[in-house]
Structures are given as C-alpha cells and as structure tokens.
Amino acid sequence: WTDILNNGYGSDRFYDTAYDSAGNIVAAGYVTGPPQHGLNGYVAKFDPTGKQILWSDQLDSGANPSPANTNDQFFGVAVDSKDRVLVTGVTSSPQRIVTRQYSTTGTLRWERFFAEEMQNSGYDVAVDTQDNVYVAGTVFTSNAIQGQWVLLKYDSAGTLQPGFQVYFDASAFGNINLRDVPSRLTVDKDGNVIVVGVVGVSDISTTTSEDTDLEVRKYNSAGTLLWHDTYGGAAHLLDY
C-alpha cells in the first residue's frame, strides 16, 4: 500500500520510520505550515493497512517572518518496548535539539531540549532493552569548534543520564564547512551504541575546502568509546 500526505502549503517530507509491536507504522519528518510558520516537525502513526492515520502531531515554533526562525523538523523516530514513540530533531527560536516521547495514543509524555551556542540539531534516536533513549546530533560549541557530534542519553522518563553529553570533534578548523555530523545510530543487544556519520577533514592550507570522511564509533552504555574507524576516499571530496 501507499499513502500520500499533503499539508496544502508546500513541500512535505518524511525522513525516518519505525514500527510497533502491533505492526503500526510511525513516520517522522516535516510539513510546510501556513504563511510565516515555515517548516513544522511532523510525526504520524499509521495502522498496518495504511488506510488510517491513528494519530499525528506537529512541532511549530510559531509565526515568524524570518524563515531561519521557523525551521522545525523531526529527523529520527524510534519505538520502545511499550510501543511509546520517540522523535528527535530541531526546533527554532532558539535553535535546539528537541526530543519527545509520545504515548501509544499520541499523547505527549515529555519533551526535552539540549543546546550549545547555535547550530544544534538531533539527527537520530534509538532505544535499548531498558527503554533508555539515545540521541545523536550536532552542536556548535564555539567559533573554534563550529560543529561536532554529541551523544545524549535519557532514561524512559526523560532524565538526562550521568556521563552524557558525549562530544566528538574531529576537525576544529573553525570553518562551518568542516562540520562533524552523525546521521544514524543503533543499540546492540549488549547495550552498546553505534553511531555513524561524517567528519570534516582538511590540511592546514585548505581549511575552507569541503572535505568529509565516513566515521563509525562504538560506545558502551556509560558513554565510553570502545573503538572507532574512519574511511576517506579521494582527497578534498565529499564522502557520505
């Protein structure tokens, strides 16, 4: 089956999907809102046949004439052992990593924000066997470090856990084109967290070149790095 969602104001997009124990499908992304509302984060739960949206919700920072202040999106979605729905993404005004947990019927149970100076966004979310919630995103901590990975861990009630936030910066070149950006994460049966994404690389004489390599990192449940690996293709080219 297929289904088409049209919010009626412009481009709409799903980035990620998950399913629950009953076979219901959850999708997360954004819809274009009415004038001056820009992009609104959007999550919807479909029944297994795709014929019915069981519930949906939006993240809307409100009306603002500046497009940069109306960019709300969900990039990742997961479902825990109790069929609760987790989403993560970015909210504007101010720009922060946002993580939400919904009940099986779509009631918002909790919402958490995390931010450094700017350029904050959550890109994926996963849960372990204890229903702890892991979020991978990127933050801007200073002019010298204009984009680095961050790994967050919440318990099922939304409490940020000790030992987290875990940061990773591969390229403190002071250039926004050399950001380190995680894209996906998962949790294995032993509670270890695997994060994949890209890191910005450049030699000292070409700090403005946009050159990224692939990165995979494995952490234990306490946030300790167990191992990592980096792969790069030809120099000064983008690897994703």
mmCIF file of all heavy atoms in Angstrom, residues 100-130:
data_model
loop_
_atom_site.group_PDB
_atom_site.id
_atom_site.type_symbol
_atom_site.label_atom_id
_atom_site.label_comp_id
_atom_site.label_asym_id
_atom_site.label_seq_id
_atom_site.Cartn_x
_atom_site.Cartn_y
_atom_site.Cartn_z
ATOM 1 N N ARG A 100 11.238 14.126 21.926
ATOM 2 C CA ARG A 100 9.903 13.947 22.501
ATOM 3 C C ARG A 100 9.590 12.464 22.658
ATOM 4 O O ARG A 100 10.030 11.648 21.852
ATOM 5 C CB ARG A 100 8.833 14.569 21.604
ATOM 6 C CG ARG A 100 8.765 16.086 21.613
ATOM 7 C CD ARG A 100 7.674 16.574 20.688
ATOM 8 N NE ARG A 100 7.369 17.999 20.888
ATOM 9 C CZ ARG A 100 6.376 18.653 20.296
ATOM 10 N NH1 ARG A 100 5.570 17.997 19.452
ATOM 11 N NH2 ARG A 100 6.171 19.928 20.534
ATOM 12 N N GLN A 101 8.778 12.166 23.677
ATOM 13 C CA GLN A 101 8.202 10.833 23.824
ATOM 14 C C GLN A 101 6.682 10.951 23.835
ATOM 15 O O GLN A 101 6.114 11.778 24.562
ATOM 16 C CB GLN A 101 8.658 10.157 25.120
ATOM 17 C CG GLN A 101 8.165 8.714 25.229
ATOM 18 C CD GLN A 101 8.388 8.117 26.608
ATOM 19 O OE1 GLN A 101 7.544 8.281 27.482
ATOM 20 N NE2 GLN A 101 9.511 7.431 26.797
ATOM 21 N N TYR A 102 6.034 10.130 22.999
ATOM 22 C CA TYR A 102 4.572 10.078 22.924
ATOM 23 C C TYR A 102 4.069 8.737 23.444
ATOM 24 O O TYR A 102 4.734 7.705 23.293
ATOM 25 C CB TYR A 102 4.102 10.230 21.475
ATOM 26 C CG TYR A 102 4.368 11.578 20.850
ATOM 27 C CD1 TYR A 102 5.537 11.811 20.131
ATOM 28 C CD2 TYR A 102 3.436 12.607 20.952
ATOM 29 C CE1 TYR A 102 5.773 13.044 19.536
ATOM 30 C CE2 TYR A 102 3.659 13.840 20.357
ATOM 31 C CZ TYR A 102 4.830 14.051 19.654
ATOM 32 O OH TYR A 102 5.068 15.274 19.061
ATOM 33 N N SER A 103 2.868 8.748 23.997
ATOM 34 C CA SER A 103 2.209 7.502 24.377
ATOM 35 C C SER A 103 1.747 6.767 23.131
ATOM 36 O O SER A 103 1.831 7.285 22.011
ATOM 37 C CB SER A 103 1.016 7.790 25.288
ATOM 38 O OG SER A 103 -0.043 8.378 24.530
ATOM 39 N N THR A 104 1.227 5.572 23.309
ATOM 40 C CA THR A 104 0.746 4.788 22.164
ATOM 41 C C THR A 104 -0.422 5.472 21.456
ATOM 42 O O THR A 104 -0.676 5.202 20.285
ATOM 43 C CB THR A 104 0.297 3.394 22.622
ATOM 44 O OG1 THR A 104 -0.731 3.533 23.612
ATOM 45 C CG2 THR A 104 1.459 2.620 23.221
ATOM 46 N N THR A 105 -1.122 6.362 22.165
ATOM 47 C CA THR A 105 -2.265 7.056 21.566
ATOM 48 C C THR A 105 -1.917 8.475 21.109
ATOM 49 O O THR A 105 -2.802 9.224 20.700
ATOM 50 C CB THR A 105 -3.436 7.117 22.559
ATOM 51 O OG1 THR A 105 -2.990 7.758 23.771
ATOM 52 C CG2 THR A 105 -3.949 5.724 22.876
ATOM 53 N N GLY A 106 -0.632 8.852 21.185
ATOM 54 C CA GLY A 106 -0.208 10.148 20.669
ATOM 55 C C GLY A 106 -0.171 11.273 21.674
ATOM 56 O O GLY A 106 0.039 12.432 21.292
ATOM 57 N N THR A 107 -0.353 10.964 22.953
ATOM 58 C CA THR A 107 -0.234 11.998 23.981
ATOM 59 C C THR A 107 1.236 12.297 24.244
ATOM 60 O O THR A 107 2.028 11.368 24.443
ATOM 61 C CB THR A 107 -0.906 11.550 25.289
ATOM 62 O OG1 THR A 107 -2.295 11.296 25.039
ATOM 63 C CG2 THR A 107 -0.782 12.608 26.372
ATOM 64 N N LEU A 108 1.613 13.561 24.248
ATOM 65 C CA LEU A 108 2.989 13.940 24.532
ATOM 66 C C LEU A 108 3.285 13.681 26.009
ATOM 67 O O LEU A 108 2.674 14.286 26.888
ATOM 68 C CB LEU A 108 3.217 15.414 24.197
ATOM 69 C CG LEU A 108 4.631 15.946 24.439
ATOM 70 C CD1 LEU A 108 5.649 15.221 23.574
ATOM 71 C CD2 LEU A 108 4.686 17.460 24.186
ATOM 72 N N ARG A 109 4.221 12.753 26.277
ATOM 73 C CA ARG A 109 4.562 12.390 27.659
ATOM 74 C C ARG A 109 5.682 13.271 28.201
ATOM 75 O O ARG A 109 5.656 13.648 29.353
ATOM 76 C CB ARG A 109 4.952 10.920 27.752
ATOM 77 C CG ARG A 109 3.855 9.972 27.290
ATOM 78 C CD ARG A 109 4.197 8.519 27.580
ATOM 79 N NE ARG A 109 4.108 8.209 28.998
ATOM 80 C CZ ARG A 109 5.136 7.884 29.761
ATOM 81 N NH1 ARG A 109 6.349 7.829 29.248
ATOM 82 N NH2 ARG A 109 4.980 7.607 31.036
ATOM 83 N N TRP A 110 6.688 13.547 27.380
ATOM 84 C CA TRP A 110 7.715 14.505 27.789
ATOM 85 C C TRP A 110 8.429 15.079 26.578
ATOM 86 O O TRP A 110 8.383 14.501 25.488
ATOM 87 C CB TRP A 110 8.704 13.924 28.793
ATOM 88 C CG TRP A 110 9.404 12.632 28.467
ATOM 89 C CD1 TRP A 110 9.079 11.385 28.946
ATOM 90 C CD2 TRP A 110 10.578 12.442 27.649
ATOM 91 N NE1 TRP A 110 9.961 10.445 28.466
ATOM 92 C CE2 TRP A 110 10.904 11.067 27.676
ATOM 93 C CE3 TRP A 110 11.383 13.292 26.899
ATOM 94 C CZ2 TRP A 110 11.992 10.530 26.971
ATOM 95 C CZ3 TRP A 110 12.471 12.765 26.201
ATOM 96 C CH2 TRP A 110 12.760 11.404 26.248
ATOM 97 N N GLU A 111 9.060 16.213 26.805
ATOM 98 C CA GLU A 111 9.804 16.918 25.767
ATOM 99 C C GLU A 111 11.067 17.483 26.408
ATOM 100 O O GLU A 111 11.014 18.107 27.469
ATOM 101 C CB GLU A 111 8.958 18.043 25.180
ATOM 102 C CG GLU A 111 9.639 18.870 24.111
ATOM 103 C CD GLU A 111 8.728 19.958 23.581
ATOM 104 O OE1 GLU A 111 8.282 20.809 24.393
ATOM 105 O OE2 GLU A 111 8.450 19.956 22.370
ATOM 106 N N ARG A 112 12.217 17.246 25.753
ATOM 107 C CA ARG A 112 13.487 17.722 26.299
ATOM 108 C C ARG A 112 14.245 18.484 25.224
ATOM 109 O O ARG A 112 14.200 18.130 24.036
ATOM 110 C CB ARG A 112 14.338 16.555 26.796
ATOM 111 C CG ARG A 112 13.684 15.740 27.907
ATOM 112 C CD ARG A 112 13.535 16.536 29.201
ATOM 113 N NE ARG A 112 12.945 15.719 30.262
ATOM 114 C CZ ARG A 112 11.645 15.698 30.552
ATOM 115 N NH1 ARG A 112 10.796 16.450 29.856
ATOM 116 N NH2 ARG A 112 11.197 14.934 31.526
ATOM 117 N N PHE A 113 14.976 19.515 25.680
ATOM 118 C CA PHE A 113 15.784 20.326 24.778
ATOM 119 C C PHE A 113 17.238 20.278 25.212
ATOM 120 O O PHE A 113 17.542 20.173 26.405
ATOM 121 C CB PHE A 113 15.304 21.777 24.784
ATOM 122 C CG PHE A 113 13.889 21.965 24.343
ATOM 123 C CD1 PHE A 113 12.875 22.134 25.275
ATOM 124 C CD2 PHE A 113 13.569 21.967 22.995
ATOM 125 C CE1 PHE A 113 11.567 22.305 24.876
ATOM 126 C CE2 PHE A 113 12.259 22.138 22.582
ATOM 127 C CZ PHE A 113 11.257 22.306 23.521
ATOM 128 N N PHE A 114 18.131 20.377 24.225
ATOM 129 C CA PHE A 114 19.556 20.472 24.510
ATOM 130 C C PHE A 114 20.173 21.410 23.489
ATOM 131 O O PHE A 114 19.864 21.329 22.292
ATOM 132 C CB PHE A 114 20.238 19.114 24.440
ATOM 133 C CG PHE A 114 21.709 19.191 24.744
ATOM 134 C CD1 PHE A 114 22.148 19.232 26.050
ATOM 135 C CD2 PHE A 114 22.640 19.258 23.717
ATOM 136 C CE1 PHE A 114 23.497 19.332 26.334
ATOM 137 C CE2 PHE A 114 23.984 19.355 23.990
ATOM 138 C CZ PHE A 114 24.430 19.387 25.304
ATOM 139 N N ALA A 115 21.063 22.297 23.965
ATOM 140 C CA ALA A 115 21.671 23.256 23.046
ATOM 141 C C ALA A 115 23.009 23.737 23.585
ATOM 142 O O ALA A 115 23.216 23.824 24.804
ATOM 143 C CB ALA A 115 20.748 24.445 22.826
ATOM 144 N N GLU A 116 23.899 24.033 22.665
ATOM 145 C CA GLU A 116 25.097 24.799 22.961
ATOM 146 C C GLU A 116 24.870 26.199 22.388
ATOM 147 O O GLU A 116 23.766 26.717 22.480
ATOM 148 C CB GLU A 116 26.331 24.109 22.365
ATOM 149 C CG GLU A 116 26.650 22.770 23.005
ATOM 150 C CD GLU A 116 27.226 22.880 24.423
ATOM 151 O OE1 GLU A 116 27.413 24.013 24.901
ATOM 152 O OE2 GLU A 116 27.469 21.837 25.048
ATOM 153 N N GLU A 117 25.877 26.802 21.764
ATOM 154 C CA GLU A 117 25.714 28.183 21.325
ATOM 155 C C GLU A 117 24.728 28.312 20.168
ATOM 156 O O GLU A 117 23.869 29.180 20.167
ATOM 157 C CB GLU A 117 27.074 28.770 20.924
ATOM 158 C CG GLU A 117 28.008 28.988 22.111
ATOM 159 C CD GLU A 117 29.255 29.752 21.723
ATOM 160 O OE1 GLU A 117 29.318 30.259 20.584
ATOM 161 O OE2 GLU A 117 30.165 29.849 22.549
ATOM 162 N N MET A 118 24.865 27.454 19.145
ATOM 163 C CA MET A 118 23.988 27.514 17.979
ATOM 164 C C MET A 118 24.209 26.263 17.140
ATOM 165 O O MET A 118 24.939 25.363 17.534
ATOM 166 C CB MET A 118 24.265 28.770 17.145
ATOM 167 C CG MET A 118 25.672 28.863 16.614
ATOM 168 S SD MET A 118 25.995 30.363 15.636
ATOM 169 C CE MET A 118 25.988 31.589 16.928
ATOM 170 N N GLN A 119 23.547 26.197 15.957
ATOM 171 C CA GLN A 119 23.704 25.080 15.026
ATOM 172 C C GLN A 119 23.438 23.734 15.710
ATOM 173 O O GLN A 119 24.166 22.756 15.519
ATOM 174 C CB GLN A 119 25.104 25.079 14.398
ATOM 175 C CG GLN A 119 25.464 26.343 13.661
ATOM 176 C CD GLN A 119 24.764 26.478 12.319
ATOM 177 O OE1 GLN A 119 24.235 25.501 11.792
ATOM 178 N NE2 GLN A 119 24.761 27.671 11.761
ATOM 179 N N ASN A 120 22.396 23.668 16.525
ATOM 180 C CA ASN A 120 22.062 22.458 17.263
ATOM 181 C C ASN A 120 20.969 21.678 16.535
ATOM 182 O O ASN A 120 19.966 22.260 16.115
ATOM 183 C CB ASN A 120 21.567 22.808 18.667
ATOM 184 C CG ASN A 120 22.510 23.738 19.398
ATOM 185 O OD1 ASN A 120 23.598 23.342 19.807
ATOM 186 N ND2 ASN A 120 22.103 24.994 19.582
ATOM 187 N N SER A 121 21.149 20.373 16.392
ATOM 188 C CA SER A 121 20.121 19.559 15.748
ATOM 189 C C SER A 121 20.286 18.096 16.146
ATOM 190 O O SER A 121 21.408 17.590 16.222
ATOM 191 C CB SER A 121 20.203 19.687 14.224
ATOM 192 O OG SER A 121 19.143 18.967 13.609
ATOM 193 N N GLY A 122 19.178 17.408 16.418
ATOM 194 C CA GLY A 122 19.187 15.969 16.637
ATOM 195 C C GLY A 122 18.885 15.252 15.338
ATOM 196 O O GLY A 122 17.949 15.627 14.621
ATOM 197 N N TYR A 123 19.678 14.203 15.017
ATOM 198 C CA TYR A 123 19.523 13.530 13.732
ATOM 199 C C TYR A 123 18.981 12.114 13.831
ATOM 200 O O TYR A 123 18.419 11.607 12.866
ATOM 201 C CB TYR A 123 20.851 13.520 12.973
ATOM 202 C CG TYR A 123 21.228 14.882 12.453
ATOM 203 C CD1 TYR A 123 22.334 15.553 12.938
ATOM 204 C CD2 TYR A 123 20.450 15.513 11.481
ATOM 205 C CE1 TYR A 123 22.673 16.817 12.477
ATOM 206 C CE2 TYR A 123 20.778 16.774 11.011
ATOM 207 C CZ TYR A 123 21.889 17.426 11.517
ATOM 208 O OH TYR A 123 22.208 18.678 11.062
ATOM 209 N N ASP A 124 19.149 11.457 14.969
ATOM 210 C CA ASP A 124 18.573 10.121 15.083
ATOM 211 C C ASP A 124 18.358 9.780 16.547
ATOM 212 O O ASP A 124 18.986 10.365 17.451
ATOM 213 C CB ASP A 124 19.481 9.077 14.426
ATOM 214 C CG ASP A 124 18.708 7.799 14.059
ATOM 215 O OD1 ASP A 124 17.462 7.837 14.064
ATOM 216 O OD2 ASP A 124 19.353 6.766 13.776
ATOM 217 N N VAL A 125 17.463 8.833 16.783
ATOM 218 C CA VAL A 125 17.120 8.399 18.125
ATOM 219 C C VAL A 125 16.988 6.881 18.130
ATOM 220 O O VAL A 125 16.559 6.283 17.132
ATOM 221 C CB VAL A 125 15.812 9.079 18.607
ATOM 222 C CG1 VAL A 125 14.648 8.735 17.698
ATOM 223 C CG2 VAL A 125 15.503 8.738 20.051
ATOM 224 N N ALA A 126 17.402 6.247 19.226
ATOM 225 C CA ALA A 126 17.285 4.791 19.371
ATOM 226 C C ALA A 126 17.042 4.478 20.841
ATOM 227 O O ALA A 126 17.310 5.303 21.726
ATOM 228 C CB ALA A 126 18.549 4.087 18.872
ATOM 229 N N VAL A 127 16.531 3.280 21.108
ATOM 230 C CA VAL A 127 16.273 2.846 22.486
ATOM 231 C C VAL A 127 16.966 1.515 22.732
ATOM 232 O O VAL A 127 17.169 0.722 21.813
ATOM 233 C CB VAL A 127 14.764 2.710 22.766
ATOM 234 C CG1 VAL A 127 14.085 4.068 22.716
ATOM 235 C CG2 VAL A 127 14.109 1.758 21.785
ATOM 236 N N ASP A 128 17.343 1.277 24.014
ATOM 237 C CA ASP A 128 17.931 -0.010 24.374
ATOM 238 C C ASP A 128 16.876 -0.904 25.005
ATOM 239 O O ASP A 128 15.679 -0.556 25.050
ATOM 240 C CB ASP A 128 19.156 0.183 25.276
ATOM 241 C CG ASP A 128 18.819 0.809 26.632
ATOM 242 O OD1 ASP A 128 17.628 0.837 27.020
ATOM 243 O OD2 ASP A 128 19.760 1.265 27.319
ATOM 244 N N THR A 129 17.288 -2.052 25.524
ATOM 245 C CA THR A 129 16.329 -3.016 26.079
ATOM 246 C C THR A 129 15.693 -2.527 27.373
ATOM 247 O O THR A 129 14.671 -3.066 27.797
ATOM 248 C CB THR A 129 17.019 -4.365 26.331
ATOM 249 O OG1 THR A 129 18.141 -4.170 27.204
ATOM 250 C CG2 THR A 129 17.492 -4.991 25.019
ATOM 251 N N GLN A 130 16.293 -1.505 28.013
ATOM 252 C CA GLN A 130 15.724 -0.920 29.230
ATOM 253 C C GLN A 130 14.905 0.335 28.922
ATOM 254 O O GLN A 130 14.491 1.039 29.846
ATOM 255 C CB GLN A 130 16.854 -0.570 30.201
ATOM 256 C CG GLN A 130 17.751 -1.742 30.565
ATOM 257 C CD GLN A 130 16.980 -2.869 31.206
ATOM 258 O OE1 GLN A 130 16.176 -2.642 32.122
ATOM 259 N NE2 GLN A 130 17.219 -4.092 30.747
#
